[in-house]
Amino acid sequence: MPKLDLLDFAWWEITGKCQLACDHCYASSGPTGTHGSLSVADWRCVITQTREAGARMGQFIGGEPTLHPALPQLVQHALSAGIDVEIYTNLVHVTPEMWETFRLPGVRLATSYYSDRSDEHEAITKRPSLRVTTKNIVRARELGIPLRAGVIGILDGQRTAQAVTSLEWLGVPEVGYDDLREVGRGVRENGPGLDQLCGRCGDRQIAISPTGEVWPCVFSRWLPIGNVQTASLAEILSGQRFAEVTGQLREAFDGGGKCGPDECTPRCGPSCGPACQPQPRTPCKPRQGCSPSYGSCEPDKRLCDPGRSCKPNQCRPTK
């Protein structure tokens, strides 16, 4: 049982290693990345502390989390702790063991998609990945594994609408759209800043890096609020630095744009939502006020389940 009521959700960024080298990657991950300095025992402790802080949903992300050799046991540990799991994966290479992990009750998948054309998809990922990602999307659907996909707009004239249509044709039940975030290798003109955020960073959610740094979300990497190698998660969440940063974020976004009735569906972006309607529908842009919607949708909790299409303002984190 949780000892505190501070969190609903956490990103566990367990590795900076990835088979792809996407030139927009907010984490700057790639083939030369590493698993960082947190040991498997450290991650088990972090996951336990995440649940003790109140979270009921966590996302394994990277880099490519399936490249971490301990992912299956970390998923099992999270499930045993009472946390539902989402694995954000590029679905480029899935081993038989990983398929078994994906099929565990309480586990769901998320992936990114860029185009219906291999050449355009490869221009973004820097590897021939469209065919195998599509094949594994089909496989996940055949196995009944809950899956959502996010189309990310990177290139001028990119075939994002066609990518959305392809995913819908494949039977992906939840397809979101997000614009490029100028973080990591995604920097183009403005660079990291509040205008790249949705406005809900640190609102009962945090991200933890492979080196133990804690951020309000995976996109706000220039705003560290502590490190789990030097303090417990509870100490960080109750600390002065966390209060200062989240206070600054609330002040900056107070009165900012909110998702309107015709603007958003449950989540947005590669890992934090909600996903707003993909192009040519209304895209969800940074600063739109869209919030993550993970967890279970119990009537008394009013938490939005990843598999549901909750209306704006219908599902809110428990306070």
Side-chain angles (χ1 to χ4, degrees), residues 86-153:
E86 182 171 74
I87 301 170
Y88 206 101
T89 170
N90 57 35
L91 290 174
V92 167
H93 179 67
V94 184
T95 64
E97 180 188 20
M98 203 58 65
W99 279 120
E100 291 304 310
T101 297
F102 290 172
R103 297 179 69 182
L104 292 173
V107 175
R108 57 180 289 115
L109 302 178
T111 194
S112 296
Y113 213 76
Y114 303 101
S115 177
D116 64 328
R117 287 176 41 172
S118 295
D119 57 344
E120 188 172 67
H121 201 277
E122 184 176 338
I124 293 171
T125 66
K126 308 305 180 186
R127 300 290 188 278
S129 55
L130 178 60
R131 183 187 64 82
V132 68
T133 295
T134 302
K135 181 188 73 172
N136 285 325
I137 287 174
V138 171
R139 180 63 173 154
R141 295 291 298 147
E142 290 173 344
L143 293 173
I145 301 170
L147 168 71
R148 67 182 178 95
V151 175
I152 306 173

Side-chain angles (χ1 to χ4, degrees), residues 208-286:
I208 301 147
S209 82
T211 57
E213 274 198 310
V214 182
W215 307 304
C217 75
V218 289
F219 292 122
S220 55
R221 309 170 84 82
W222 71 95
L223 292 173
I225 55 177
N227 193 298
V228 294
Q229 296 191 90
T230 58
S232 71
L233 200 52
E235 291 171 332
I236 292 170
L237 293 170
S238 303
Q240 182 178 355
R241 172 65 178 169
F242 181 73
E244 290 174 350
V245 170
T246 54
Q248 292 168 3
L249 290 169
R250 283 193 298 270
E251 182 178 356
F253 287 99
D254 186 37
K258 300 298 180 182
C259 296
D262 299 320
E263 294 180 275
C264 291
T265 55
R267 81 179 43 74
C268 150
S271 56
C272 78
C276 293
Q277 299 285 3
Q279 291 181 335
R281 310 166 216 175
T282 305
C284 180
K285 299 180 183 295

